[in-house]
Amino acid sequence: MKKIMNVEEIMAAIPNRFPIYYLDAVTEFEDEKHITAVKNLTMNEDFFQGYFPEQPIMPGTLIVEALAQAGSLLILESENFKGKTAYIGGINQAKFHEFVRPGDTMYLNFDIQKIKGPVGTAKAWATVNEKTVVDCEFTFIVGDKEQSK
């Protein structure tokens, strides 16, 4: 099943909010298997102001966070995990290949490899202009939402 999601639909599904929210749209969605989300980068991003301000680049850790958010959306939209929360259990073999700069459109891909109970693994990669900028493997854990007291 393929579907497209806009920012309002994404924000309804995952808990992330500004300043640590990095998804603008979803262009591909295959339930419980694959997602491609989009992040459009502008100079207005808060991290460009202080991270190499003379040569602004998106920190690699935030690219990995954006990949995790795309994965979280894929996981939490599956029937088995509706109403739950997804957590990063591990990040393996992260490789950073290219810089991501203001003006870039970054595509965030997340493919679930295996799920057993509440734990799973996935391959994830981000591209700009069809070049891989980051790739890694995630271990994720799905749990109940924390209740506010």
Side-chain angles (χ1 to χ4, degrees), residues 62-83:
L62 296 184
I63 298 170
V64 171
E65 170 62 26
L67 287 165
Q69 288 180 21
S72 178
L73 180 59
L74 174 63
I75 294 160
L76 298 178
E77 283 293 293
S78 76
E79 282 303 314
N80 292 337
F81 298 119
K82 286 264 188 210

Side-chain angles (χ1 to χ4, degrees), residues 66-141:
L67 287 165
Q69 288 180 21
S72 178
L73 180 59
L74 174 63
I75 294 160
L76 298 178
E77 283 293 293
S78 76
E79 282 303 314
N80 292 337
F81 298 119
K82 286 264 188 210
K84 303 281 187 180
T85 299
Y87 302 96
I88 297 172
I91 302 165
N92 304 309
Q93 300 180 19
K95 293 183 181 134
F96 303 90
H97 305 283
E98 302 277 337
F99 292 128
V100 176
R101 304 176 186 284
D104 286 343
T105 298
M106 185 169 53
Y107 291 87
L108 306 157
N109 300 281
F110 194 95
D111 281 350
I112 293 177
Q113 304 294 298
K114 179 173 71 170
I115 297 178
K116 186 171 183 177
V119 179
T121 58
K123 290 191 182 294
W125 66 99
T127 63
V128 172
N129 296 323
E130 299 182 10
K131 287 185 174 178
T132 301
V133 295
V134 173
D135 62 82
C136 64
E137 296 175 358
F138 282 99
T139 300
F140 59 87
I141 302 162

Side-chain angles (χ1 to χ4, degrees), residues 36-53:
T36 300
V38 178
K39 172 64 180 155
N40 296 302
L41 292 129
T42 70
M43 192 59 196
N44 293 329
E45 308 288 347
D46 61 332
F47 49 80
F48 285 139
Q49 308 313 309
Y51 191 75
F52 294 105

Side-chain angles (χ1 to χ4, degrees), residues 29-35 74 110-113 122-123:
F29 189 100
E30 188 179 341
D31 192 29
E32 299 183 23
K33 293 190 186 333
H34 172 79
I35 191 168
L74 174 63
F110 194 95
D111 281 350
I112 293 177
Q113 304 294 298
K123 290 191 182 294

Side-chain angles (χ1 to χ4, degrees), residues 83-85 87 143-149:
K84 303 281 187 180
T85 299
Y87 302 96
D144 291 328
K145 283 186 178 180
E146 292 291 321
Q147 299 298 317
S148 301
K149 295 184 181 202

